[in-house]
Amino acid sequence: MVAPVVPPAQPWLRESLRRLFARPAIVAALLAVPVAVLVGGIVCWVIDWRLGVDSAVYRSGAIALLTGEPLYDSDFLSSEPPWARLPFTYPPTGALLFVPLALFATQISWGVLGALSVLALALVVRTAIQSLPTRPTWMTPARTTVIVTVLALGLEPVWRTLFLGQINLILMALVVVDVLVLGRSRYLGGVLVGVAAAVKLTPLIFVPHLWLVGRRADAVRAVVTFAVLQALIFVIIPHDFRQFWSVAVTNPERTGPTFWAGNQSLNGLMLRLTDLAPWALGAAIAVGLLLAVPAVFLVRRYHLAGQPLTALLVTAFFGVLLSPVSWSHHYVWVVPLVVLLLSRLPDRLPEGWARVRDLSGIGAVVLVFASCVLLIMRTSDPNRLAGEKPELEWTPPEVLLGSAYLLVPLVAGVLVLTRMRRR
């Protein structure tokens, strides 16, 4: 049995925060992890432990912006530590929004970003729970938020995001709040999607999502927000603006070889299957366009059925597949997917085979993303001799295992469409 969810009379997020801070034990449990991450960053700074490669690049981009150093003219920025010599691959507006990180030392900035990421993760879980049309009676918002947030740290996309100092969880929170919370806002809907896209271009996929679900003013507002930030950065650093949009944006290899196993996009799969054929990206785009048809259908279908979270997840995973580069840590969208699958469980699990059937969906998803399967694959290593590319020599079983992340949304889509057809 599944109990219907009755939305609170007043804005749920404000009411939820009020109830949260009235329960000190829940607050302490929720803040324990982000506080530990922040303290860990301070300890790393004291003992000079190297942690947060990507957050070091974010911070260096902000410093480069403040000091006038070009962002894209060299392979790394001068303020990057020796153990994080990587190119700045984000839009110049990203450097603008990373400026607060310049206030801290490299490792402390990792701790600050990590703490904010854990809080963003909790916000995503809580928002996802609230958007569910139904859920089991045992799936209470406060307890489920704490438990799922803590357990989600064991999923490879989540812990890798935190370990690298990536921005994925924060960007996901911006999109989730915009799509699932700000829909009733006359002036704010779409703004957070525009801001997220200014940090990383991939959230632009949610502009057509807003349009498809009937929030056309919000879709326009997202584009305007993105454009205003681009105009602002053009005024501040016109050289970097031109370099990014004319050179850097067309070179996905700046993020690393795109055939690596960690690239769980259609483009990465095609590159591995075709032995780096020059037409691999075109083939991946063609497949993506074919997948767009059922994706649009499912988004509209779930939206009209009053299932906004499911519709959002369709767009999110389609965007991850379509992007030329989707590293494994970009699959943080598995967290709201787990929340959705939890809501499909009954109040009491049946016995025997029926229990296996009910748990098979969420069990398979957790198994894939918690197994760290990509870490055991034969993959390229910068320390190996130049020219060695083990991913191009994978056997068929290795191709399946090495494509596990991107197969999850593909298999799920096939199952959903098959079930709809039968009905």
Side-chain angles (χ1 to χ4, degrees), residues 6-279:
V6 180
Q10 51 184 303
W12 73 266
L13 186 56
R14 186 187 312 161
E15 176 65 12
S16 179
L17 290 173
R18 185 191 67 78
R19 292 179 180 179
L20 174 65
F21 286 103
R23 304 169 69 179
I26 295 293
V27 173
L30 196 58
L31 294 181
V33 176
V35 169
V37 173
L38 180 58
V39 171
I42 296 174
V43 171
C44 289
W45 172 59
V46 172
I47 65 177
D48 194 25
W49 193 21
R50 302 171 179 180
L51 200 59
V53 172
D54 289 326
S55 58
V57 176
Y58 300 159
R59 175 181 175 275
S60 299
I63 293 175
L65 174 66
L66 296 174
T67 59
E69 179 184 359
L71 290 170
Y72 309 104
D73 289 2
S74 60
D75 292 335
F76 58 88
L77 301 172
S78 61
S79 57
E80 291 178 1
W83 46 270
R85 294 292 174 91
L86 297 172
F88 189 82
T89 61
Y90 306 91
T93 42
L96 178 63
L97 298 174
F98 292 143
V99 163
L101 295 179
L103 300 174
F104 308 97
T106 299
Q107 290 90 340
I108 295 179
S109 67
W110 171 84
V112 171
L113 190 61
L116 293 175
S117 294
V118 175
L119 293 175
L121 175 64
L123 178 59
V124 167
V125 173
R126 181 64 184 88
T127 306
I129 293 171
Q130 187 64 34
S131 69
L132 296 169
T134 58
R135 63 174 181 259
T137 54
W138 49 260
M139 198 173 174
T140 56
R143 182 176 62 181
T144 304
T145 297
V146 173
I147 293 175
V148 172
T149 299
V150 173
L151 293 181
L153 299 175
L155 301 175
E156 189 266 350
V158 176
W159 66 251
R160 188 180 289 273
T161 287
L162 295 175
F163 180 78
L164 294 175
Q166 263 285 344
I167 197 77
N168 304 311
L169 292 168
I170 294 175
L171 296 184
M172 179 172 64
L174 292 177
V175 172
V176 166
V177 170
D178 197 327
V179 175
L180 300 181
V181 178
L182 298 183
R184 299 178 181 178
S185 173
R186 180 176 298 181
Y187 305 108
L188 295 178
V191 171
L192 296 184
V193 167
V195 172
V199 178
K200 262 185 181 178
L201 298 181
T202 48
L204 285 173
I205 192 67
F206 298 102
V207 174
H209 177 90
L210 293 173
W211 190 274
L212 283 173
V213 300
R215 293 172 54 183
R216 297 186 175 181
D218 292 351
V220 172
R221 196 175 293 114
V223 173
V224 170
T225 301
F226 178 80
V228 167
L229 289 172
Q230 300 308 311
L232 175 61
I233 205 68
F234 174 75
V235 172
I236 299 174
I237 45 174
H239 171 75
D240 288 317
F241 178 89
R242 288 190 292 265
Q243 281 293 100
F244 177 78
W245 288 105
S246 63
V247 179
V249 75
T250 61
N251 181 19
E253 295 291 329
R254 282 180 62 88
T255 64
T258 50
F259 66 87
W260 280 357
N263 183 12
Q264 291 289 295
S265 69
L266 291 173
N267 180 45
L269 176 62
M270 288 296 177
L271 286 169
R272 293 189 287 271
L273 291 178
T274 63
D275 199 17
L276 305 182
W279 45 267

Side-chain angles (χ1 to χ4, degrees), residues 346-372:
D347 275 349
R348 294 186 62 183
L349 288 172
E351 299 295 331
W353 174 251
R355 172 176 293 192
V356 175
R357 180 198 60 203
D358 287 348
L359 293 175
S360 60
I362 188 170
V365 170
V366 171
L367 176 63
V368 168
F369 290 98
S371 65
C372 304

Side-chain angles (χ1 to χ4, degrees), residues 277-292:
W279 45 267
L281 178 58
I285 293 174
V287 174
L289 292 177
L290 290 176
L291 294 177

